[in-house]
Amino acid sequence: HHQRALLEMPLYVSLGGQEFRGSTNIVIPPPNTEPHYQPSALAKFDWVKPRTIAVFVQLSLMNAIRRNAFELLNKTKSIAGLPVEVHEIRGRRQFTMSAKKTWEKYRSSYFCPILEGDMPFQKRFFDVVLSGCLPVVVAFPAAGGNPHHSWFKNNTLGYNF
């Protein structure tokens, strides 16, 4: 069985989380070919420039956490005089703006919520970080007395942190 062979490997490189219980992974982000995210452009990026948006998020309403965040942020029109922008993704893939425009919004924002989805992998987390926007994540208590927190609820997607 392939799972046993993968578990016996000392290292497993992945775009996502733990595919098999007990496996050890190195998670790598997928490449972003947008010119603003290339090393030469990032070296010139003004990381401390003032931003024009307090919070920017684009999300589908697929679970309670996302629905609650959508409702709360839609009620919050501004923070410290800067706008809060909330955009709904319909049907998981019907975006209200292009990827390029989304990346521009990330680069113009102070905070970008990265809420749990249906997969452990969150490409937008890496896009947000490379944009200089602070990612806001929700943490859940870990299992088995582990003092650390996880982005995933216990036993979500087969994970047991």
Side-chain angles (χ1 to χ4, degrees):
H1 194 45
H2 297 294
Q3 181 177 358
R4 181 169 175 79
L6 288 173
L7 286 173
E8 291 174 357
M9 297 176 83
L11 209 46
Y12 183 68
V13 177
S14 167
L15 291 177
Q18 183 183 35
E19 278 77 13
F20 307 106
R21 288 188 190 279
S23 67
T24 54
N25 295 27
I26 293 179
V27 178
I28 58 171
N32 185 329
T33 58
E34 168 71 17
H36 289 288
Y37 294 98
Q38 301 313 304
S40 59
L42 290 172
K44 297 173 190 169
F45 185 70
D46 183 0
W47 295 95
V48 295
K49 73 173 182 167
R51 307 296 173 110
T52 57
I53 301 170
V55 177
F56 172 78
V57 65
Q58 190 171 216
L59 50 80
S60 66
L61 306 181
M62 62 185 291
N63 61 36
I65 289 175
R66 286 169 169 250
R67 287 188 294 275
N68 291 339
F70 184 82
E71 183 180 334
L72 176 68
L73 290 171
N74 265 320
K75 290 178 184 176
T76 308
K77 299 302 176 196
S78 68
I79 297 173
L82 294 175
V84 172
E85 287 198 27
V86 184
H87 300 268
E88 181 181 355
I89 301 170
R90 297 189 185 271
R92 294 191 176 174
R93 293 287 170 238
Q94 295 174 11
F95 296 91
T96 58
M97 62 184 67
S98 69
K100 184 176 181 176
K101 185 69 174 172
T102 299
W103 293 324
E104 288 174 10
K105 295 287 187 176
Y106 289 158
R107 289 191 299 273
S108 298
S109 303
Y110 283 105
F111 298 100
C112 297
I114 308 296
L115 304 175
E116 71 174 25
D118 56 352
M119 297 294 291
F121 172 69
Q122 300 290 334
K123 179 184 180 294
R124 69 187 168 277
F125 177 85
F126 299 103
D127 291 343
V128 162
V129 168
L130 288 174
S131 299
C133 189
L134 295 171
V136 179
V137 298
V138 176
F140 298 98
N146 181 338
H148 303 289
H149 284 74
S150 169
W151 287 20
F152 305 101
K153 294 177 193 164
N154 191 26
N155 291 321
T156 302
L157 304 169
Y159 292 82
N160 197 11
F161 295 106

